[in-house]
Amino acid sequence: MTEMKIALGAMEFGSRIDEKTSFALLDAYVDAGGVWIDTANCYSFWQVPSGRGGQSEELLGRWFAARPGVRDRVKLATKVGCEPLWPGSFPDHTEGLSEKVIDAALETSLRRLGIDHIDLYWAHRDDLTTPLEETVAAFGKHAKAGTIGRIGLSNYALWRVERMRGLALAQGVEGPTALQLRYSYLQPRPFVRDNAHDHRFGWITDEVLDYADRNPEQELFAYSPLMSGGYEREDRPIQEAFDHPGTTRRLEVLSKVAAELGVTRSEVVIAWLAGGSPAVTPIVGMSTPTYLRTALAGAHLTLPTNLRTLLDEAW
């Protein structure tokens, strides 16, 4: 059976989204055939008085404990690198990606989650203060030990990705096989720098798409694919970075395709991402069962060739 191309983002579970609601969403996702669950060791430090992360991992640990056998039905991804060194120190002072940090963070994540391995371990963002050789060796050590399966890089420049792959090959250790960046059907103006684009290399570009297409072992994951509800909700206006004629044109085509299929624009966006070439796995953060059903419906939707062409040509 083909794995459903979608991941459930657990960023706000255990903080803004309470435990009862989080458990219900996780249960519904797994019961519908969902596999990937994505979190991070720093989630959600900005939503709690302590200014420290870990709430999402701890909630997932309680969910695993309360649902015997469910761990075997899912693939768990978490991240290291962005936890603030002290409350309020993000983004200038975070834990980074030294061997010491990776060793300690992985041990903490496994303890919080109550599991013995992580299927996909992400470097949350690049750490320019630690030699790449050290970071690669640390990830490789844990991959060899079996405490992590795959290694992923989030918000990385492609030249750094390739350098890490070369170092991993030279060291004889596991290299990165996944990239996580922001992506959606709408695209921002080039070189935008604002609070919605706080990672300089945090966007899937044509270069990234070409890279993944020519290196099929590299799986693409996209965060914020539904623009925080901007495709559906009038109270969630699309950010200023997307204010240009291309957005107007794409929204018109997106609305046309959604109407023809009798689905929401969000469902079309999920289907467009998951069914593209290369395919992109959307990471969807959901707070209600209705939103989750919409995302799952999009993951199951196959766009007819003529409508996919129409969507692509609007670019």
Side-chain angles (χ1 to χ4, degrees), residues 40 45 121:
F45 69 81
Y121 200 38

Side-chain angles (χ1 to χ4, degrees), residues 101-183:
V101 164
I102 291 171
D103 289 351
L106 178 58
E107 182 180 355
T108 299
S109 290
L110 291 171
R111 175 178 50 78
R112 287 172 178 164
L113 292 159
I115 59 179
D116 60 8
H117 75 283
I118 290 164
D119 299 287
L120 175 53
Y121 200 38
W122 296 100
H124 206 157
R125 66 172 182 177
D126 203 349
D127 173 13
L128 299 175
T129 66
T130 299
L132 280 178
E133 292 86 350
E134 180 179 345
T135 299
V136 168
F139 278 116
K141 174 180 66 177
H142 292 293
K144 186 176 182 179
T147 45
I148 60 177
R150 295 167 58 196
I151 298 160
L153 304 177
S154 182
N155 304 305
Y156 266 70
L158 276 182
W159 73 269
R160 297 278 284 181
V161 174
E162 272 300 290
R163 186 158 294 181
M164 289 184 76
R165 290 181 69 191
L167 289 168
L169 184 63
Q171 293 181 14
V173 298
E174 188 78 16
T177 59
L179 301 176
Q180 182 178 149
L181 305 121
R182 186 173 176 180
Y183 196 48

Side-chain angles (χ1 to χ4, degrees), residues 1-310:
M1 184 177 178
T2 303
E3 186 177 290
M4 185 162 48
K5 275 285 180 183
I6 197 169
L8 180 64
M11 182 171 70
E12 297 184 314
F13 290 177
S15 53
R16 188 180 73 85
I17 303 175
D18 64 53
E19 183 156 321
K20 181 180 179 181
T21 303
S22 299
F23 274 34
L25 291 167
L26 287 160
D27 290 343
Y29 173 72
V30 173
D31 288 344
V35 174
W36 279 106
I37 299 172
D38 183 85
T39 188
N41 70 329
C42 68
Y43 292 160
S44 291
F45 69 81
W46 58 92
Q47 291 185 335
V48 295
S50 70
R52 300 284 190 180
Q55 295 78 25
S56 176
E57 288 185 335
E58 289 170 351
L59 181 136
L60 287 168
R62 294 192 294 273
W63 180 67
F64 284 134
R67 305 287 190 270
V70 77
R71 176 66 181 101
D72 297 329
R73 298 169 59 189
V74 303
K75 293 181 180 179
L76 195 284
T78 192
K79 310 178 189 74
V80 58
C82 279
E83 173 72 355
L85 288 180
W86 61 85
S89 71
F90 182 89
D92 297 325
H93 302 282
T94 58
E95 61 189 343
L97 294 169
S98 68
E99 181 181 17
K100 181 179 179 181
V101 164
I102 291 171
D103 289 351
L106 178 58
E107 182 180 355
T108 299
S109 290
L110 291 171
R111 175 178 50 78
R112 287 172 178 164
L113 292 159
I115 59 179
D116 60 8
H117 75 283
I118 290 164
D119 299 287
L120 175 53
Y121 200 38
W122 296 100
H124 206 157
R125 66 172 182 177
D126 203 349
D127 173 13
L128 299 175
T129 66
T130 299
L132 280 178
E133 292 86 350
E134 180 179 345
T135 299
V136 168
F139 278 116
K141 174 180 66 177
H142 292 293
K144 186 176 182 179
T147 45
I148 60 177
R150 295 167 58 196
I151 298 160
L153 304 177
S154 182
N155 304 305
Y156 266 70
L158 276 182
W159 73 269
R160 297 278 284 181
V161 174
E162 272 300 290
R163 186 158 294 181
M164 289 184 76
R165 290 181 69 191
L167 289 168
L169 184 63
Q171 293 181 14
V173 298
E174 188 78 16
T177 59
L179 301 176
Q180 182 178 149
L181 305 121
R182 186 173 176 180
Y183 196 48
S184 188
Y185 181 62
L186 299 184
Q187 296 287 288
R189 297 188 309 278
F191 299 107
V192 167
R193 300 285 182 268
D194 62 19
N195 63 350
H197 297 78
D198 55 350
H199 296 290
R200 184 181 179 191
F201 300 105
W203 196 270
I204 291 178
T205 62
D206 275 349
E207 184 179 17
V208 173
L209 292 171
D210 182 67
Y211 176 80
D213 194 39
R214 296 173 186 276
N215 296 275
E217 72 280 4
Q218 297 293 327
E219 187 175 3
L220 295 181
F221 289 76
Y223 62 83
S224 301
L226 298 181
M227 310 278 289
S228 301
Y231 288 112
E232 311 297 338
R233 294 175 53 173
E234 293 184 1
D235 64 329
R236 298 285 179 88
I238 291 171
Q239 294 151 341
E240 192 271 339
F242 298 82
D243 185 10
H244 57 82
T247 290
T248 303
R249 184 171 64 250
R250 290 168 193 164
L251 285 176
E252 288 176 353
V253 171
L254 187 60
S255 296
K256 179 179 179 180
V257 170
E260 184 164 337
L261 294 175
V263 300
T264 65
R265 296 197 297 193
S266 293
E267 287 170 67
V268 175
V269 171
I270 294 292
W272 179 81
L273 290 167
S277 183
V280 179
T281 299
I283 301 171
V284 292
M286 296 292 142
S287 59
T288 71
T290 300
Y291 295 154
L292 178 59
R293 284 193 294 270
T294 295
L296 291 169
H300 286 295
L301 176 65
T302 300
L303 294 173
T305 301
N306 65 314
L307 296 184
R308 173 170 286 282
T309 300
L310 192 66

